[in-house]
Amino acid sequence: MAKKPKKQQSAGTPATVALTAAGVDFTVHAYDHDPSHPSYGEEAAEAMGVSPDRVFKTLVADVDGALTVAVVPVAGSLDLKALASAVGGKRAAMADPTLAERTTGYVRGGISPLGQRKKLPTVLDASATAHSTICVSAGRRGLEVELSPADLAGLTGAVLSGIARA
């Protein structure tokens, strides 16, 4: 009886698998996540020794009833009005965390804009273009991926807009 070929297992998270499949340059940064740290993003910046304006957090908002992804620097906060405007909406509010996790396939603090279970409209804060590379979650707490803002925007179909407040 012939042996069945083994199915190849994809290593990494859905985000890193998507990046590898797309053939873009990226670097993975792993660090020990401290559950007691008050900010996932600031913890990542500190652990990697990277300026907080180069580390971006992925937030899920509800814009006029549709889930939308916002990617903003961890040093700032999301301007919900600007997000709504960027996607042609009127009102935006932060999405229910459980719904965000279920829709993206990631846990809070580890939501990546890449490799989500359901592709959502995405807006990347325009400040990202000031950097040759930025860091975003690679799909779990304690794991970041560094890539060019252009590659991130291209892979997610993101609109570039000023959606962050200092």
Side-chain angles (χ1 to χ4, degrees):
M1 181 182 259
K3 274 187 167 180
K4 285 186 181 178
K6 279 190 174 181
K7 192 174 179 182
Q8 284 262 327
Q9 292 290 324
S10 301
T13 66
T16 59
V17 169
L19 286 165
T20 301
V24 301
D25 288 334
F26 68 96
T27 304
V28 175
H29 299 277
Y31 60 92
D32 291 328
H33 167 62
D34 176 2
S36 68
H37 199 288
S39 166
Y40 297 119
E42 288 174 12
E43 176 192 24
E46 290 167 11
M48 294 185 303
V50 174
S51 171
D53 64 339
R54 278 192 50 230
V55 179
F56 283 63
K57 56 189 169 188
T58 305
L59 303 171
V60 181
D62 179 316
V63 179
D64 297 337
L67 291 182
T68 303
V69 173
V71 185
V72 297
V74 301
S77 61
L78 174 61
D79 182 333
L80 289 166
K81 275 187 144 177
L83 175 65
S85 177
V87 294
K90 292 181 181 172
R91 299 185 84 146
M94 293 308 296
D96 173 73
T98 303
L99 180 60
E101 289 179 341
R102 192 170 51 240
T103 305
T104 64
Y106 294 118
V107 297
R108 242 176 88 218
I111 295 178
S112 177
L114 300 155
Q116 295 181 357
R117 183 177 289 151
K118 179 180 179 190
K119 188 170 174 125
L120 299 171
T122 302
V123 181
L124 174 60
D125 186 65
S127 69
T129 60
H131 309 285
S132 58
T133 62
I134 60 171
C135 298
V136 296
S137 176
R140 72 169 197 254
R141 296 172 189 152
L143 196 66
E144 294 281 309
V145 65
E146 182 177 352
L147 73 165
S148 79
D151 284 339
L152 179 61
L155 291 171
T156 60
V159 171
L160 288 170
S161 187
I163 58 167
R165 281 193 294 234

